[in-house]
Amino acid sequence: MSMKKIVLSVAALSVLATGTPAMAQLKVPQISTEGGMSTSTAAASDAFPGLKGFLSLPAADRSQISVYYVARIKHADKSQVKVTLIDGNRQIPLTIQGDGRITPLPTLAQLNSGAKVTISGPQSGSYSMKIKVHSPQPNGRTYDAAGLALGVRQGNNAIGRIAGAMSFMVKKLDRVYFVGGGSGTVEVNGQQKSLPRTDGAGEYPAGTPYFVPSQFPGATRITLSHAASTALFDNPPK
């Protein structure tokens, strides 16, 4: 199970850990192999790139953004892959949910104390981690548009403060995708305007509604035809 390479998303917070470009190379982890199963061990701050930098921001500067991490496992039975957080003498199993999301995430105290992460699974497998930046607003059919606009600004400010001179290498956040939201409208000055939807280019399914705050100044409310499973901050499709 290789942990040599962590694949980060196009989301701008992918540079929070080290200020490196979107493809970051880990320090080579410790790897052991036995009976066709491999176990890799790395610092938790390396296994979850960007998390330490994000959690170190003042709470007021990340009030409208949050992050989660998705494990991408290839060439292996996912049910055989185990992720464990080692915090001192404690071994804390981490769950890989159906969509690949890992829970719970290490706390800032655990990251600062030198906690480690082990990943074990079939030797044939490969493992990568993708960071997702999302809105902490409750998932559903309605969203506070002003809060989402603030989230875009907070995400980009975080890049500048943590990544420093390297932040120019990552595309800025400028929009919010409502995954599973069907179609939607945005309220501006008491009028309802239709949200644009993706055409299928990029990682979001065709027809996913999205909100670009700069295109709707003064927007107050987003209403969707279906409850979104998550609202992700991102940038235009490649």
Side-chain angles (χ1 to χ4, degrees):
M1 176 64 64
S2 174
M3 276 186 59
K4 292 183 179 180
K5 191 171 287 184
I6 293 296
V7 180
L8 305 181
S9 75
V10 293
L13 287 181
S14 62
V15 297
L16 292 188
T18 61
T20 56
M23 185 69 76
Q25 188 73 26
L26 282 180
K27 298 175 182 178
V28 177
Q30 302 172 12
I31 302 176
S32 60
T33 303
E34 183 177 353
M37 301 292 284
S38 292
T39 299
S40 301
T41 301
S45 56
D46 286 335
F48 293 95
L51 183 59
K52 183 175 180 179
F54 176 76
L55 295 178
S56 296
L57 289 169
D61 293 344
R62 49 186 173 91
S63 61
Q64 291 296 322
I65 53 175
S66 189
V67 298
Y68 64 85
Y69 289 74
V70 173
R72 293 191 167 181
I73 301 165
K74 297 180 180 180
H75 314 300
D77 182 349
K78 293 182 180 180
S79 67
Q80 293 184 289
V81 178
K82 308 298 181 185
V83 184
T84 305
L85 176 67
I86 302 174
D87 180 20
N89 294 325
R90 295 194 303 159
Q91 295 195 13
I92 305 168
L94 304 184
T95 299
I96 302 176
Q97 299 182 349
D99 61 358
R101 187 180 307 201
I102 296 180
T103 59
L105 291 178
T107 65
L108 181 58
Q110 290 169 332
L111 294 170
N112 285 333
S113 68
K116 297 183 181 297
V117 168
T118 65
I119 302 172
S120 62
Q123 188 177 356
S124 60
S126 64
Y127 168 87
S128 64
M129 191 83 79
K130 195 170 187 180
I131 184 172
K132 297 281 190 177
V133 187
H134 68 98
S135 170
Q137 293 186 40
N139 295 324
R141 293 187 57 230
T142 61
Y143 289 83
D144 171 27
L148 296 175
L150 176 57
V152 169
R153 296 194 298 272
Q154 286 182 340
N156 288 322
N157 287 338
I159 298 166
R161 292 173 58 181
I162 297 175
M166 299 297 293
S167 62
F168 77 93
M169 300 186 71
V170 180
K171 293 176 66 174
K172 295 292 184 71
L173 303 173
D174 76 339
R175 62 194 61 200
V176 187
Y177 292 93
F178 303 98
V179 180
S183 60
T185 59
V186 53
E187 183 174 344
V188 183
N189 298 324
Q191 297 183 336
Q192 299 294 328
K193 300 184 178 182
S194 297
L195 287 176
R197 302 168 73 184
T198 60
D199 60 6
E203 67 175 290
Y204 299 97
T208 299
Y210 63 93
F211 170 54
V212 183
S214 63
Q215 295 179 356
F216 299 97
T220 56
R221 189 177 183 84
I222 303 290
T223 303
L224 304 171
S225 63
H226 297 81
S229 61
T230 186
L232 294 175
F233 294 99
D234 213 325
N235 41 51
K238 292 182 178 181

